[in-house]
């Protein structure tokens, strides 16, 4: 917990690794260092500037690393104008699958939120998230 250049609010050093947090609105912070792994959250909320900063600079900085991995997540914005939609459509459009929680079923399905019109998916009693369960799309 000591105060040093290796331990600040936005930069932490550990044995052989570091964790750095940067703002998508700060080109200087994003261009400060390369990294092998980058997590860019809420990319549809990034302010795009004339310089084109944001997750693009992170990708360019990671390009020098052979096994660079960039994870992009976001609540989608408007269709056709969404950075996360563009990234998804530019990829292999793979979905993460989860196995049905019932041992006898074993069906693999997309992890989705339950809705009033769809009986399957992640559900819970209103106001009681501790009651969460997952209903298989196969009906078990």
């Amino acid at each position: 917990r000591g105060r040093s250049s290796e331990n600040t609010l936005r930069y932490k050093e550990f044995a052989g690794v570091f964790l750095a947090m940067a703002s998508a609105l700060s080109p200087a912070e994003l261009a400060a260092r390369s990294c092998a792994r980058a997590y860019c959250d809420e990319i549809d909320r990034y302010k795009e500037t004339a310089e084109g900063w944001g997750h693009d600079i992170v990708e360019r900085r990671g390009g020098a690393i052979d096994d660079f991995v960039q994870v992009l997540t976001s609540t989608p914005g408007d269709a056709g104008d969404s950075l996360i939609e563009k990234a998804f459509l530019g990829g292999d459009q793979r979905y993460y699958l989860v196995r049905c929680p019932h041992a006898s079923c074993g069906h693999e399905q997309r992890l989705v939120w339950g809705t009033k019109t769809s009986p399957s998916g992640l559900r819970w009693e209103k106001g009681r998230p501790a009651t969460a369960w997952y209903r298989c799309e196969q009906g078990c």
Side-chain angles (χ1 to χ4, degrees):
R1 293 184 174 253
R3 300 275 182 208
S4 71
S5 62
E6 294 83 30
N7 187 11
T8 66
L9 183 62
R10 298 178 78 156
Y11 183 85
K12 304 287 182 194
E13 260 188 34
F14 306 95
V17 298
F18 68 88
L19 172 67
M21 290 165 268
S23 170
L25 301 179
S26 173
E29 286 181 13
L30 294 172
R33 65 179 57 86
S34 295
C35 61
R37 308 288 181 263
Y39 180 82
C40 302
D41 189 28
E42 291 298 342
I43 67 166
D44 269 8
R45 307 302 175 258
Y46 289 7
K47 179 181 178 183
E48 291 196 50
T49 65
E51 296 88 14
W53 301 105
H55 74 90
D56 292 333
I57 188 73
V58 174
E59 187 171 323
R60 287 195 296 272
R61 294 291 295 176
I65 299 171
D66 290 336
D67 62 347
F68 174 67
V69 175
Q70 183 181 31
V71 177
L72 305 176
T73 61
S74 188
T75 304
D78 296 330
D81 192 35
S82 167
L83 292 174
I84 197 69
E85 176 189 43
K86 180 181 174 185
F88 178 73
L89 294 175
D92 63 9
Q93 301 176 26
R94 187 180 319 178
Y95 287 94
Y96 180 73
L97 301 179
V98 295
R99 188 174 302 275
C100 172
H102 302 97
S104 61
C105 177
H107 176 69
E108 291 189 343
Q109 59 204 321
R110 285 178 39 198
L111 181 62
V112 297
W113 296 103
T115 66
K116 291 179 182 179
T117 59
S118 172
S120 62
L122 184 63
R123 308 179 70 82
W124 60 87
E125 294 174 25
K126 187 174 181 173
R128 301 183 59 208
T131 65
W133 75 93
Y134 198 85
R135 181 171 290 160
C136 178
E137 63 189 8
Q138 296 295 312
C140 48

